[in-house]
Structure formats: C-alpha cells, structure tokens
Amino acid sequence: MGGPADGVVDLYSRRALDWDRDRGKTLMEKLWLDAFLAWVPAGGSVLDLGCGSGEPIAGYLIQQGRRVTGVDAAPGLIDLCRRRFPEHDWRVADMRGLDLGRTFDGLIAWHSAFHLTPADQRALFDVYARHLAPAAPLMFTSGSEEGETVGEWRGEPLYHGSLSTEGYRQALAGAGFEVLTGGLEDPETGGATVWLARARVPE
C-alpha cells in the first residue's frame, strides 16, 4: 500500500484541467524568474522539472527566448504543454532518478519537488547536478522545516514534504552547488521558500 506521496501524480493526472484553471496565468514569480534567467544565456536551454501545464512559468521562459524541455509525471498536464508550445520538448517522466543524457543551461523546479518525500528530495540533488552545465543556475521551492504534511485541494488529499533549511544547504553543497540566494520565504509568491543556486565550475 503506497503512502500519501504516491497519490500526487494520480491526482494531477485526473484533474489536470482543474489544476490549470486554479493555477491561473498570473506570473507572481516574475522577479525570481528574471533572477534565474540572468544566469541563462540568450537562446539557452532550460529543464523545467514538474512543469505542470506549461503556464505561466514555461510560457514566460519561452517568451524570453529560452528553449524549454519540460518534464512532468502527469500525462494530462504534459498534453496541455504540447498543445500550447508544440515546438518545445515535453516528456512524461518521474523526476526521481531522471537521466536525459544531456545537460542544460538552467534547471527550475517550482512548486514541484516539494511533493516528494524528504528522502526522495535528498536524492533529487544528484538529478539536478547531472543535468546542469558548469555554472548553470538551479532554482526550486521548498518548505522551511523538515517533515511531511497532507493538505487538501478540491476535496482530495495533497502531500507535501520538506527538509530543514540547513538540510537543503547541506544537500546543495554535497551535490556541488553554490547557493546564490537561499531559503527566502517570499510573501509576493504566497510565502514560497525559494532557492537559487548554481553548479560549481570544475577546478
């Protein structure tokens, strides 16, 4: 019998259109996305892990001239991405253990990795590292205290997990990342805890 984290993909798959409507197209993340894009060269490639329906974040990255590869485990959400941005690369896949066999100029996991258990989140830093070119930026959101919670969305349970702030710092350092901005709870983005780091350049 699976735990509550195992129901997240099924929930988003069944209710992809509901999620897309609830998410809306307001880009409250713009300041963070611009800070991220400052490290991504013009025309560069971005891997969006847990890309959802492609709007508004992937759409903004595309509008700013970047090439997007989006990964989400929910087929219904990837279908929406493919309809909206057919010229970009959209994959149905689990981010845990992902290996696309290439590196990108940036990687973003906004409001996605926090649906994984703390143990799976720790392992995810190896996924980040193997998909990023030297000095490329990584941006993701997280909780601020280690633990697990099960909330509710549209009457159904929705799981979130988190490491501690120090746990994220240690995981980033262990995977070879330099923290640029770390662990900031931003009221402009609904209180999201945002991390911006970059892959270290080999000596």
Side-chain angles (χ1 to χ4, degrees):
M1 188 96 176
D6 297 322
V8 172
V9 172
D10 174 67
L11 175 60
Y12 282 131
S13 295
R14 289 186 290 104
R15 310 199 69 167
L17 294 179
D18 288 334
W19 185 89
D20 186 56
R21 281 190 291 268
D22 288 356
R23 175 60 181 86
K25 306 301 180 284
T26 302
L27 195 66
M28 60 184 176
E29 305 89 350
K30 182 178 183 300
L31 289 177
W32 284 107
L33 293 175
D34 288 343
F36 168 79
L37 288 172
W39 293 90
V40 180
S45 59
V46 175
L47 176 59
D48 186 352
L49 289 183
C51 60
S53 61
E55 287 282 16
I57 289 179
Y60 183 71
L61 300 175
I62 291 167
Q63 180 187 14
Q64 298 305 306
R66 273 52 172 204
R67 294 171 287 112
V68 173
T69 294
V71 172
D72 203 288
L77 293 174
I78 290 294
D79 285 345
L80 290 172
C81 293
R82 288 171 174 160
R83 288 181 218 163
R84 288 169 172 162
F85 308 107
E87 70 279 16
H88 292 263
D89 186 11
W90 307 103
R91 314 273 187 105
V92 177
D94 190 326
M95 68 175 72
R96 295 171 294 185
L98 185 72
D99 189 351
L100 297 179
R102 58 165 293 195
T103 59
F104 295 81
D105 299 312
L107 190 156
I108 186 168
W110 191 275
H111 286 6
S112 56
F114 67 4
H115 287 307
L116 302 180
T117 66
D120 283 339
Q121 288 189 48
R122 288 188 184 92
L124 194 61
F125 286 89
D126 289 336
V127 174
Y128 296 152
R130 70 170 159 260
H131 287 97
L132 280 171
L138 162 68
M139 188 165 69
F140 65 96
T141 55
S142 73
S144 58
E145 297 181 5
E146 182 154 6
E148 300 174 284
T149 62
V150 180
E152 184 180 286
W153 173 66
R154 285 184 173 254
E156 299 200 51
L158 182 60
Y159 173 91
H160 293 86
S162 181
L163 308 181
S164 66
T165 298
E166 183 58 28
Y168 285 113
R169 289 188 181 278
Q170 291 176 1
L172 283 161
F177 287 96
E178 171 192 358
V179 176
L180 301 172
T181 302
L184 296 181
E185 294 185 15
D186 183 4
E188 298 300 318
T189 57
T193 299
V194 185
W195 296 85
L196 178 60
R198 66 171 180 165
R200 291 199 183 102
V201 178
E203 296 181 359

